[in-house]
Amino acid sequence: MRQRDEAFLALLRPEEGKLLRIARALTGREADAWEMVQDTVVQAYERFHTLRGGPEGFAPWIRRILVNRCKNLLRGRSRLVLLERAAESEIDPGAGPEAQLEASQLWADVMELGEEHRQVLTLRYLVDMPVAEIASLLGVPEGTIKSRIHRALGALRKRLTADLKGADHA
Amino acid sequence: MNLEQQLKMSAESWLGEEVLSPAESARLTALVRRRSQRSSLKRWGAVAAGLLLVGTSGLYGPALASIASDLPWVGRFIQQMAGSDEGLVWAEGQGYVMPVGKSMTKEGITFRIDSILADGARTELFWSVDGFDPAGEVSIGGLEYYYNKATRPGGWSSSYRIQDGRLLGTLSLPPLPHSVTQVGVTVAEINGVKGDWALTFSASRQALDPQTRVITINQPIRGEGYELMVTQVTLTPTGTVVEVTGESDPGFAIREVALGAKLQSLRSSGSADFEGGRQQLSYRFQFDRLDPVPERLSFRLLEITQVREGGPVLPVQPGARVEWQGATFTLDSIQMVEGRTEVRLRVDGAPKSLLDGLHKWSLRTKSGEAIRSVHLGAGELFRIDFPGQITDGIEIEALQHAESLPLPASVEIDLK
């Protein structure tokens, strides 16, 4: 195998499981997620020469490729929403019960949210995309994304509160 | 630490919990190896395709002065859709988004239709609401439309948002049935205020009709249990519509289609009537604009399914597992929640259509009762709700599933 291929695979190895987890969070389906990861690996390999920032830049770079591979799926599904409520408002910075939870529990709860909420929190906090980029990706206004994040965080808070109550009673 | 910070801080450690199996990892390595051998050939192919597109783009007619510039929110809104709806962006840039300016004020709230884009492929309305508190929760109830005072001829979709203290929205409707059509839009309730806002106005697709082509196709698509016909294609500068009719066994459905190499449908609508035990089908698939319009184009069914009886059966025990149709179903939990019994299933390795088709479940009890599910939460983690507190469940069973059918050959459409 050529040196370039070895370098690519060495960078890919620690990232491949993470890519699958992001793809699963975005698509909600194992079969789609695995297909998207494979597509991403192929595309990333072909564009490897465009990677900037050395090995540290690999993870954010290939995650963006993955998100773009998922774009059609994300947009296709968002079009099925017939009537969508959206209101501009800032995210409440106040602390909640979440401070007491482990990372795995927190994200496990995110994965239990509805598709739209799960996707927007994944793009914002797992892929670290700015709101404007998410809006462009999904083809909706920035205000819609802000309100989706706000509502997703609200839904997550409710779920976390329920988790903690459950733990208290256990 | 607030919730956002917590999510950011925990993201990497949560992602790091996922480790691919050696077999999965080897599959990715094999992909890279295969690609490595083919890469130089593929690069030359990509260059050639790029040159072809540059050489033949820009077939549509002359530009008109942009009327939409008088309506800045509409223009801004459409530009934000760049990449997802090229036809609409094109129409706005060419001045085909026309002002309507009809409004009605009731209970201090004004509902207005600002502008419209209409042609043989689509009708898009842009509406706004003033006179309510934009900081609070927004709700719109009873949104309907009709053409020429008749009942609406098909489905609609709408979305809305707050921008600069105003509520702005879009309403996507089927094409106007005539060159000039009377359009009515009604809204029963805005933010809990019952006002029955009703606006009517005359809409025209005449500006784009000269650039619209309706091509009769009549190409059959046949398979076991279905006989379809691609009847016609409508080409406009803002979109492409493919119409398909036919008949099939009950439970047959077209789930995904594609036009050419890259266009997947933006919207689809369909109806099914039953006659003599057969399903009479009528589909309308809307795609983005074709630019340039090729001489020939393939129309492909990407996924078709048939509902069949039966499905996976699992004992009502946490951890129970069954293999079915290549997927693994695991019963994660069963619990009583607010007057219902909630069963959670995890499904691994399911084909694309399988999860969508598992709509109906039954829970059998020790006394022999079969209780039908009342709600289904989709996704890989199924949540199936049954009415009441069921403590003597024996097994749950999917009553039906959708099976992917073999795909027929694509239909070649002559657009000359």
Side-chain angles (χ1 to χ4, degrees), chain A residues 16 21 29-30 82 112, chain B residues 12 14 25 158 344 380:
Chain A
E16 56 193 19
R21 194 161 265 203
R29 296 177 188 182
E30 192 70 25
L82 286 185
E112 293 268 300
Chain B
E12 278 304 314
W14 182 74
S25 195
S158 182
R344 283 174 183 263
E380 264 174 51

Side-chain angles (χ1 to χ4, degrees), chain B residues 167-188:
Chain B
L167 177 62
L168 309 174
T170 61
L171 181 60
S172 301
L173 309 176
L176 302 178
H178 310 289
S179 287
V180 179
T181 301
Q182 200 72 9
V183 179
V185 178
T186 61
V187 175

